[in-house]
Coordinates of all heavy atoms in Angstrom, one line a residue:
Q64 N -3.0 5.0 -2.2 CA -1.8 4.3 -2.6 C -1.0 5.1 -3.6 O 0.2 5.1 -3.6 CB -2.2 2.9 -3.1 CG -1.0 2.0 -3.4 CD -1.4 0.7 -4.0 OE1 -2.2 0.6 -4.9 NE2 -0.8 -0.3 -3.5
M65 N -1.7 5.6 -4.6 CA -1.0 6.3 -5.7 C -0.2 7.5 -5.1 O 0.9 7.8 -5.5 CB -2.0 6.8 -6.8 CG -2.6 5.6 -7.6 SD -3.7 6.2 -8.9 CE -2.4 6.4 -10.2
N66 N -0.9 8.2 -4.2 CA -0.2 9.4 -3.7 C 1.0 9.0 -2.7 O 2.0 9.7 -2.6 CB -1.2 10.3 -3.0 CG -2.0 11.2 -4.0 OD1 -1.5 12.2 -4.4 ND2 -3.1 10.7 -4.4
S67 N 0.8 7.9 -2.1 CA 1.9 7.4 -1.2 C 3.1 7.0 -2.1 O 4.2 7.4 -1.8 CB 1.4 6.2 -0.4 OG 2.5 5.5 0.2
L68 N 2.8 6.3 -3.2 CA 3.9 5.9 -4.1 C 4.6 7.1 -4.7 O 5.8 7.1 -4.8 CB 3.3 5.0 -5.2 CG 2.9 3.6 -4.9 CD1 2.1 2.9 -6.0 CD2 4.1 2.7 -4.5
K69 N 3.8 8.1 -5.2 CA 4.4 9.2 -5.8 C 5.4 10.0 -4.8 O 6.3 10.6 -5.3 CB 3.3 10.2 -6.3 CG 2.6 9.7 -7.5 CD 1.7 10.7 -8.1 CE 0.5 11.1 -7.3 NZ -0.4 12.0 -7.9
S70 N 5.0 9.9 -3.6 CA 5.8 10.7 -2.6 C 7.2 10.2 -2.4 O 8.1 10.9 -2.0 CB 5.1 10.8 -1.3 OG 5.3 9.6 -0.5
W71 N 7.5 8.9 -2.7 CA 8.8 8.4 -2.5 C 9.9 9.1 -3.4 O 11.0 9.3 -2.9 CB 8.8 6.9 -2.9 CG 8.1 6.0 -2.0 CD1 7.1 5.1 -2.3 CD2 8.4 5.8 -0.6 NE1 6.7 4.5 -1.2 CE2 7.4 4.8 -0.1 CE3 9.3 6.3 0.3 CZ2 7.4 4.4 1.2 CZ3 9.3 5.9 1.7 CH2 8.3 5.0 2.1
E72 N 9.5 9.5 -4.6 CA 10.4 10.1 -5.5 C 10.3 11.6 -5.5 O 11.0 12.3 -6.3 CB 10.3 9.5 -6.9 CG 10.5 8.0 -6.9 CD 11.9 7.6 -6.4 OE1 12.9 8.4 -6.6 OE2 12.0 6.5 -5.8
E73 N 9.4 12.2 -4.8 CA 9.1 13.6 -4.8 C 10.1 14.4 -4.0 O 10.4 14.1 -2.9 CB 7.7 13.9 -4.3 CG 7.3 15.4 -4.4 CD 7.4 16.0 -5.8 OE1 6.7 15.5 -6.7 OE2 8.3 16.8 -6.0
K74 N 10.8 15.4 -4.7 CA 11.8 16.2 -4.0 C 11.3 17.5 -3.5 O 11.9 18.1 -2.6 CB 13.0 16.4 -5.0 CG 13.6 15.2 -5.6 CD 14.1 14.3 -4.5 CE 14.8 13.0 -5.2 NZ 15.2 12.0 -4.2
D75 N 10.2 18.0 -4.1 CA 9.6 19.2 -3.6 C 8.8 19.0 -2.4 O 7.8 18.3 -2.4 CB 8.7 19.8 -4.8 CG 8.2 21.2 -4.5 OD1 7.3 21.3 -3.5 OD2 8.6 22.1 -5.1
A76 N 9.1 19.7 -1.3 CA 8.5 19.4 0.0 C 7.0 19.8 0.0 O 6.2 19.1 0.6 CB 9.2 20.2 1.1
D77 N 6.7 20.9 -0.7 CA 5.3 21.3 -0.8 C 4.4 20.3 -1.5 O 3.3 20.0 -1.1 CB 5.1 22.7 -1.4 CG 5.7 23.8 -0.5 OD1 5.7 23.6 0.7 OD2 6.1 24.8 -1.1
K78 N 4.9 19.8 -2.6 CA 4.2 18.8 -3.4 C 4.1 17.5 -2.6 O 3.0 16.9 -2.6 CB 4.9 18.5 -4.7 CG 4.8 19.6 -5.8 CD 5.5 19.2 -7.1 CE 5.4 20.4 -8.1 NZ 6.1 20.0 -9.3
L79 N 5.1 17.1 -2.0 CA 5.1 15.9 -1.2 C 4.0 16.0 -0.1 O 3.2 15.1 0.1 CB 6.5 15.6 -0.6 CG 6.6 14.3 0.2 CD1 8.0 13.7 0.0 CD2 6.4 14.6 1.7
K80 N 4.0 17.1 0.6 CA 3.1 17.3 1.7 C 1.6 17.2 1.2 O 0.7 16.7 1.8 CB 3.3 18.6 2.4 CG 4.6 18.6 3.3 CD 4.8 19.9 4.0 CE 6.1 19.9 4.8 NZ 6.4 21.2 5.4
A81 N 1.4 17.9 0.0 CA 0.1 17.9 -0.6 C -0.3 16.5 -1.0 O -1.5 16.1 -0.8 CB 0.1 18.8 -1.8
Q82 N 0.6 15.7 -1.5 CA 0.3 14.3 -1.9 C 0.0 13.5 -0.6 O -1.0 12.7 -0.7 CB 1.5 13.7 -2.6 CG 1.7 14.2 -4.0 CD 3.1 13.8 -4.6 OE1 3.9 13.3 -3.9 NE2 3.3 14.1 -5.8
L83 N 0.7 13.6 0.4 CA 0.5 12.8 1.6 C -0.8 13.2 2.3 O -1.5 12.4 2.9 CB 1.7 12.8 2.6 CG 2.9 12.2 2.0 CD1 4.0 12.1 3.1 CD2 2.6 10.7 1.6
E84 N -1.1 14.5 2.3 CA -2.4 15.0 2.9 C -3.6 14.5 2.0 O -4.6 14.1 2.6 CB -2.4 16.5 2.9 CG -1.5 17.1 4.0 CD -1.3 18.6 3.9 OE1 -1.9 19.2 3.0 OE2 -0.5 19.1 4.7
K85 N -3.4 14.4 0.7 CA -4.5 13.9 -0.1 C -4.6 12.4 0.2 O -5.8 11.9 0.3 CB -4.1 14.1 -1.6 CG -5.2 13.6 -2.5 CD -4.9 14.0 -4.0 CE -6.0 13.5 -4.9 NZ -5.8 13.9 -6.3
A86 N -3.5 11.7 0.3 CA -3.6 10.3 0.6 C -4.3 10.0 1.9 O -5.1 9.1 2.0 CB -2.1 9.7 0.7
Q87 N -4.0 10.8 2.9 CA -4.6 10.7 4.2 C -6.1 10.9 4.1 O -6.9 10.2 4.7 CB -4.0 11.6 5.2 CG -4.4 11.3 6.6 CD -4.1 9.9 7.1 OE1 -2.9 9.5 7.1 NE2 -5.1 9.1 7.4
N88 N -6.5 12.0 3.4 CA -7.9 12.3 3.3 C -8.7 11.2 2.6 O -9.8 10.8 3.1 CB -8.1 13.6 2.5 CG -7.6 14.8 3.3 OD1 -7.6 14.8 4.5 ND2 -7.3 15.9 2.6
F89 N -8.2 10.6 1.6 CA -8.9 9.6 0.9 C -8.9 8.3 1.7 O -9.8 7.5 1.7 CB -8.4 9.4 -0.5 CG -9.0 10.3 -1.5 CD1 -8.3 11.5 -1.8 CD2 -10.2 10.1 -2.1 CE1 -8.9 12.4 -2.7 CE2 -10.8 11.0 -3.0 CZ -10.1 12.1 -3.3
L90 N -7.8 8.1 2.4 CA -7.7 6.9 3.3 C -8.7 7.0 4.5 O -9.4 6.0 4.8 CB -6.3 6.8 3.9 CG -5.9 5.5 4.7 CD1 -6.2 4.3 3.9 CD2 -4.5 5.6 5.1
N91 N -8.9 8.2 5.0 CA -9.9 8.5 6.0 C -11.3 8.1 5.5 O -12.1 7.5 6.2 CB -9.9 9.9 6.5 CG -8.6 10.3 7.3 OD1 -7.9 9.4 7.7 ND2 -8.4 11.6 7.4
D92 N -11.5 8.5 4.2 CA -12.8 8.2 3.6 C -13.0 6.6 3.5 O -14.1 6.1 3.8 CB -13.0 8.8 2.2 CG -13.1 10.3 2.3 OD1 -13.4 10.8 3.4 OD2 -12.9 11.0 1.2
A93 N -12.0 6.0 3.1 CA -12.0 4.5 3.0 C -12.3 3.9 4.3 O -13.1 2.9 4.5 CB -10.7 4.0 2.4
M94 N -11.6 4.4 5.4 CA -11.7 3.8 6.7 C -13.1 4.1 7.3 O -13.6 3.3 8.1 CB -10.6 4.3 7.6 CG -9.3 3.7 7.3 SD -8.0 4.4 8.4 CE -6.7 3.2 8.1
A95 N -13.7 5.2 6.9 CA -15.1 5.5 7.3 C -16.1 4.5 6.7 O -17.1 4.2 7.4 CB -15.5 6.9 6.9
I96 N -15.8 3.9 5.5 CA -16.6 3.0 4.9 C -16.4 1.6 5.4 O -17.3 0.8 5.7 CB -16.4 3.0 3.4 CG1 -16.8 4.4 2.8 CG2 -17.2 1.9 2.7 CD1 -16.3 4.6 1.4
E97 N -15.1 1.2 5.5 CA -14.6 -0.1 5.9 C -13.8 0.0 7.2 O -12.7 0.3 7.2 CB -13.8 -0.7 4.8 CG -13.4 -2.1 4.9 CD -14.5 -3.0 4.3 OE1 -15.5 -2.5 3.8 OE2 -14.3 -4.2 4.3
K98 N -14.5 -0.3 8.3 CA -13.9 0.1 9.6 C -12.8 -1.0 10.1 O -11.9 -0.7 10.8 CB -15.0 0.2 10.7 CG -15.9 1.4 10.4 CD -16.8 1.7 11.5 CE -17.8 2.8 11.1 NZ -17.2 4.1 10.8
Y99 N -13.0 -2.2 9.7 CA -12.1 -3.3 10.1 C -11.5 -4.0 8.9 O -12.0 -4.9 8.4 CB -12.8 -4.3 11.0 CG -13.5 -3.6 12.2 CD1 -14.8 -3.3 12.2 CD2 -12.7 -3.3 13.3 CE1 -15.4 -2.7 13.4 CE2 -13.3 -2.7 14.5 CZ -14.6 -2.4 14.4 OH -15.2 -1.8 15.5
N100 N -10.4 -3.4 8.5 CA -9.8 -3.9 7.2 C -8.3 -3.8 7.3 O -7.7 -2.7 7.4 CB -10.3 -3.0 6.1 CG -9.8 -3.4 4.7 OD1 -8.7 -3.6 4.4 ND2 -10.8 -3.7 3.8
A101 N -7.6 -5.0 7.2 CA -6.2 -5.0 7.4 C -5.5 -4.3 6.2 O -4.4 -3.7 6.5 CB -5.7 -6.5 7.4
D102 N -6.0 -4.3 5.0 CA -5.4 -3.6 3.9 C -5.3 -2.1 4.1 O -4.3 -1.5 3.8 CB -6.1 -3.9 2.6 CG -5.9 -5.4 2.1 OD1 -4.8 -5.8 2.0 OD2 -6.9 -6.0 1.9

Side-chain angles (χ1 to χ4, degrees):
Q64 185 182 44
M65 294 185 83
N66 281 277
S67 172
L68 285 170
K69 287 190 292 186
S70 77
W71 289 121
E72 301 302 325
E73 183 56 65
K74 304 301 182 185
D75 185 293
D77 290 335
K78 288 183 180 178
L79 182 143
K80 289 178 180 179
Q82 287 167 352
L83 293 184
E84 287 170 1
K85 182 175 183 178
Q87 188 63 59
N88 287 336
F89 278 94
L90 188 55
N91 289 345
D92 290 343
M94 287 179 163
I96 298 165
E97 191 86 357
K98 297 187 184 302
Y99 302 100
N100 184 304
D102 290 305

